[in-house]
Amino acid sequence: MRRARRLLSYRLRRSVRRATLAVGVGLTAAPVAADIVAADFTESTTRYGHAVLGDDVEYGALEITSDHNNSSHLTTKLVQKKTTYLVRLPLDHVFEDIAPRLVDVTGDGRPEVIVVETDVVKGAQLAIYGEDGTKLAATPHIGQRNRWLAPIGAADLDGDGHIEVAYIDRPHLAKTLRVWRFKDNELTQVASQTGLTNHRIGEDFISGGIRDCGKGPEMITVNANWSEVMVTRFDGKTLSPRALGPFKNQTSLKRGLDCKAP
């Protein structure tokens, strides 16, 4: 039953994402080369069995669809040339994640794919893939089997022109926010903060995310014992968490993300 719920939830998210992307492609006014227009996990597998997301189903492959667009000087017709790339992991790795995330990490105006990729011996890492399925960068694996990380999101958190990627390292154990900067085709850790989390064992979703209420991006999580909704800013050197209000349920987090009191 739990496996069915998680697969159904993922398929619903994938359908919504595809519908949204289809609208975006239809509204494209200028040619864009090598845009990722969809990314989906495939080849479900039970070869890992960590079950941190509520069941033992993970994914052995990542399917990336890229749209190589061209336009003619003689017409306004947009010619779409879509190519699908399949990233198939070795048998000692899985994608231990809810859904791929499309974010422009490199700053070229085109999205990359952010995922949680797990080595069955060394645990999880956060990885970034390009439009042709090439792994562009990754954090180190946590270092131990059955150790996971839960992404928060990616944005230029400190306004320096480079994208930072944030996640909670071991949200059930270490409960540590880590921020990594993507620069010169590498991910470098630039800050960490203990006492924060965004996932409880068995949930098939990750709580919180990144908001911008007019003063720059901020990360929304909860505190270690799930009693307070937390907002954390990054100034380029230091992480500054503060409580927004009591955590009651997911509505509290949604209100925080919507720039309202929980």
Side-chain angles (χ1 to χ4, degrees):
M1 179 64 70
R2 290 184 301 173
R3 181 188 305 179
R5 283 201 304 268
R6 183 176 165 204
L7 288 173
L8 177 59
S9 177
Y10 171 62
R11 287 166 182 161
L12 288 172
R13 286 192 297 268
R14 181 172 62 181
S15 298
V16 171
R17 183 170 65 252
R18 282 179 168 168
T20 303
L21 288 168
V23 171
V25 169
L27 294 175
T28 301
V32 180
D35 259 0
I36 297 175
V37 295
D40 298 298
F41 293 131
T42 185
E43 299 184 10
S44 59
T45 178
T46 58
R47 65 184 182 234
Y48 185 37
H50 187 195
V52 72
L53 289 164
D55 57 45
D56 58 357
V57 176
E58 309 306 340
Y59 300 93
L62 170 66
E63 188 177 271
I64 299 173
T65 302
S66 295
D67 193 352
H68 302 260
N69 292 333
N70 287 304
S71 62
S72 169
H73 293 292
L74 301 177
T75 71
T76 59
K77 182 180 179 181
L78 185 66
V79 179
Q80 297 180 355
K81 298 181 179 179
K82 292 184 179 179
T83 304
T84 298
Y85 301 91
L86 184 67
V87 179
R88 180 174 286 121
L89 295 177
L91 294 180
D92 59 354
H93 282 66
V94 295
F95 291 112
E96 191 179 14
D97 205 349
I98 294 168
R101 300 154 192 81
L102 301 188
V103 181
D104 178 15
V105 178
T106 62
D108 64 357
R110 301 192 293 269
E112 285 72 46
V113 184
I114 299 176
V115 295
V116 179
E117 183 176 330
T118 296
D119 182 302
V120 301
V121 175
K122 299 177 182 178
Q125 68 173 183
L126 186 137
I128 301 172
Y129 283 87
E131 58 88 18
D132 61 353
T134 300
K135 185 186 284 190
L136 302 179
T139 65
H141 291 281
I142 291 172
Q144 184 177 339
R145 180 180 176 85
N146 292 347
R147 297 296 183 264
W148 186 64
L149 62 87
I152 297 171
D156 183 358
L157 295 174
D158 58 350
D160 69 346
H162 299 288
I163 296 296
E164 282 79 36
V165 184
Y167 63 75
I168 298 294
D169 175 4
R170 292 160 289 173
H172 324 113
L173 296 171
K175 301 181 181 180
T176 299
L177 167 61
R178 299 194 187 278
V179 176
W180 297 72
R181 179 177 292 127
F182 184 84
K183 183 178 180 182
D184 299 329
N185 296 317
E186 293 182 346
L187 283 168
T188 303
Q189 184 173 308
V190 291
S192 64
Q193 175 70 48
T194 59
L196 301 170
T197 189
N198 61 348
H199 184 263
R200 290 180 285 202
I201 292 176
E203 291 179 339
D204 63 352
F205 58 90
I206 296 171
S207 298
I210 293 180
R211 73 177 190 179
D212 190 334
C213 300
K215 296 182 179 180
E218 302 173 309
M219 293 165 280
I220 298 293
T221 61
V222 295
N223 62 349
N225 65 5
W226 288 83
S227 63
E228 298 280 349
V229 176
M230 303 295 292
V231 58
T232 303
R233 295 187 63 87
F234 177 58
D235 64 5
K237 295 182 180 180
T238 305
L239 289 165
S240 302
R242 62 182 175 87
L244 282 178
F247 172 82
K248 299 177 181 178
N249 50 40
Q250 288 298 312
T251 299
S252 303
L253 282 164
K254 184 179 185 303
R255 288 182 61 83
L257 286 169
D258 290 341
C259 304
K260 301 174 183 177

